[in-house]
Amino acid sequence: GYGSEEDAWALALVAERIGTTGIYEVSRLPGHPLQELIYAAIYAYGAVFFNLLTVMISTLGILSFVAMLQQFEIKNAYWSGGALAFTPIIYINSTNAMDYTWAMAFILMTGYFISNKNAVLAGFLLAMAVGCRITSGAMLIPFTFLIVNILPSDQKTKFLTRFLISLFAG
């Protein structure tokens, strides 16, 4: 099925309604438009495909976390990634149709692209996280702090401007 939470089933039902009517509606407030619209495009493939998509997105998030740690020259990046991946809340919910693992993965990808100094992709990925779960927007605060602390003074303003423009454009 779509998972043990009724919210996952609500996502599936709304995806089918959006897919058949072409009219957007929320599965639960305040809405998760990115995930709901992607699921609407693939609703005919069913639960296995929904869950497989979540597994793939979650895996990309974990791999981005490891790559970010390596970028910052953190020892044991693979062990840290493994610890995150095998945390029960992560591995269990990486196989259902819920929105928070998608949001987490996009946040981790944002962190990687900030560490890799790619403002446009970082901003776009944070916008995708917000599109999955609106509370992801709060990550703007720690990401701004990270940007200010890892970039030389002459690059901060340009990077932050490009990051914010791509975030709000996304």
Side-chain angles (χ1 to χ4, degrees), residues 9-164:
W9 289 83
L11 272 167
L13 292 172
V14 164
E16 183 178 9
R17 283 198 295 263
I18 295 170
T20 55
T21 66
I23 299 169
Y24 176 74
E25 60 180 275
V26 298
S27 58
R28 60 193 189 287
L29 292 174
H32 312 281
L34 179 67
Q35 190 180 30
E36 291 160 345
L37 293 172
I38 289 173
Y39 279 163
I42 63 167
Y43 79 91
Y45 296 107
V48 172
F49 203 75
F50 278 39
N51 297 342
L52 184 59
L53 186 58
T54 301
V55 167
M56 291 187 301
I57 291 171
S58 299
T59 301
L60 282 173
I62 300 296
L63 293 173
S64 296
F65 176 67
V66 171
M68 177 179 57
L69 294 179
Q70 289 177 322
Q71 188 75 24
F72 288 128
E73 300 176 1
I74 304 295
K75 288 184 177 182
N76 301 317
Y78 287 106
W79 286 106
S80 299
L84 178 60
F86 289 104
T87 302
I89 192 78
I90 302 300
Y91 72 78
I92 291 170
N93 289 299
S94 290
T95 60
N96 67 29
M98 289 302 295
D99 54 275
Y100 39 84
T101 50
W102 284 44
M104 177 206 66
F106 289 127
I107 287 168
L108 292 172
M109 289 181 227
T110 300
Y112 167 72
F113 282 105
I114 288 171
S115 73
N116 209 24
K117 297 177 179 61
N118 188 326
V120 174
L121 274 175
F124 180 71
L125 286 163
L126 186 56
M128 291 177 71
V130 171
C132 292
R133 196 158 183 93
I134 196 166
T135 54
S136 299
M139 287 302 296
L140 182 58
I141 296 166
F143 282 144
T144 301
F145 182 77
L146 178 63
I147 291 164
V148 167
N149 283 292
I150 67 169
L151 291 175
S153 296
D154 60 329
Q155 296 177 12
K156 291 177 188 180
T157 303
K158 182 180 176 183
F159 190 96
L160 276 169
T161 302
R162 294 176 76 200
F163 177 70
L164 291 171

